[in-house]
Amino acid sequence: MAFPYKHFLVIGATAGIGKALAPRLIESGAMVTAMGRRQDRLDEFVQTFGAAHAKGERFDVGEFAKIPDFVTRVMKESPDIDSIVFNAGVQNPFVSLTHALLPYLQKNPNPTSFIFTGSNLAIVSAATLPAYSASKAALNVFTLCLREQLRHSNTKVVEISPPPVQTELHDYMGEDAGRQLGMPLDAFTQQVYQGLAEGKDQIVIGSIGPVDTFNGIVDNRRTAFENLSKMMRGGKP
């Protein structure tokens, strides 16, 4: 199945999962605008893939007040952007960015999407990572609700739920130890790409505990959410 999207805006593209996924999207034939804080990495990305396939936008998503102007400028320069990939390590700006970008996607008559990178810890929390687990759980709830609210629109909401992945996110453990924690990045990226190519709106990779048990929790929770949503709509589609 070919991607219906032609131009991805990858937020958090200068490190980790975002940095690994951006080249894979270009290989699919799409244009990628990479956004991140590190100008040198953005420049390297554009130089590697060429201006015909890649663009770079330096922006810190933590600067909330600047989000509206940033989004207006980027979407004016690249009105063909039809998919937003959220990978930034800080979760708080996701909601602000989503609200700022949504009107532009809604104007596009073609299929569009929001793609959020969450975590398996959104389902089974880690006691030693309460703030991180809570932020991912909040993101998971946000994606469920946003998907429900946009169910009749042309904008698809996709959630990627990864296990620990070998990225610099874990460098606080020491670079050698941290970069060996979790699933190899290349293997993870390939599974994400396959899920996106298959048109899935929830891509769960790995598990916490037995796979069947974990996936059962994910599936049952989503079914319960969808049943409640339908009841609150009075049984309407």
Side-chain angles (χ1 to χ4, degrees):
M1 178 178 178
F3 283 146
Y5 316 116
K6 305 302 181 186
H7 191 161
F8 291 84
L9 172 62
V10 181
I11 298 167
T14 55
I17 291 171
K19 184 179 180 181
L21 186 57
R24 191 69 182 85
L25 296 173
I26 288 177
E27 290 174 12
S28 77
M31 176 79 176
V32 171
T33 294
M35 194 197 90
R37 292 177 296 170
R38 285 170 268 199
Q39 188 65 53
D40 58 332
R41 294 191 179 187
L42 294 172
D43 292 342
E44 181 183 3
F45 173 72
V46 175
Q47 290 169 6
T48 299
F49 295 100
H53 306 285
K55 296 177 66 175
E57 291 285 350
R58 185 184 180 281
F59 187 71
D60 184 347
V61 294
E63 298 183 35
F64 291 96
K66 296 181 179 180
I67 286 176
D69 288 343
F70 169 77
V71 168
T72 298
R73 179 178 62 79
V74 169
M75 297 305 294
K76 183 177 181 179
E77 292 175 357
S78 301
D80 62 330
I81 289 175
D82 52 8
S83 183
I84 316 297
V85 185
F86 292 91
N87 288 287
V90 179
Q91 307 305 313
N92 294 341
F94 280 4
V95 175
S96 297
L97 280 166
T98 300
H99 287 175
L101 288 160
L102 180 58
Y104 293 94
L105 296 191
Q106 294 285 274
K107 291 177 184 177
N108 192 324
N110 300 311
T112 61
S113 67
F114 287 117
I115 302 172
F116 297 90
T117 299
S119 171
N120 287 350
L121 294 181
I123 306 301
V124 179
S125 303
T128 56
L129 299 169
Y132 183 81
S133 297
S135 72
K136 291 298 187 180
L139 178 62
N140 172 252
V141 171
F142 179 70
T143 59
L144 284 169
C145 294
L146 184 65
R147 185 185 293 123
E148 164 69 12
Q149 293 174 359
L150 298 179
R151 68 189 183 281
H152 293 313
S153 76
N154 67 325
T155 302
K156 188 173 185 177
V157 178
V158 181
E159 181 184 17
I160 302 167
S161 183
V165 179
Q166 293 175 5
T167 70
E168 59 195 80
L169 176 66
H170 308 292
D171 281 358
Y172 66 91
M173 301 171 59
E175 187 169 325
D176 291 339
R179 299 290 175 94
Q180 297 303 312
L181 176 64
M183 185 178 188
L185 185 56
D186 288 347
F188 169 78
T189 304
Q190 180 55 36
Q191 289 193 36
V192 170
Y193 178 85
Q194 185 64 34
L196 293 174
E198 291 173 0
K200 294 181 178 180
D201 67 3
Q202 189 173 30
I203 304 170
V204 180
I205 299 173
S207 67
I208 297 176
V211 174
D212 290 344
T213 300
F214 184 77
N215 287 342
I217 294 172
V218 173
D219 294 341
N220 289 336
R221 184 167 178 269
R222 179 163 179 178
T223 297
F225 171 83
E226 291 174 348
N227 288 340
L228 176 60
S229 298
K230 185 175 182 179
M231 183 182 72
M232 295 180 70
R233 298 196 304 268
K236 296 178 181 179

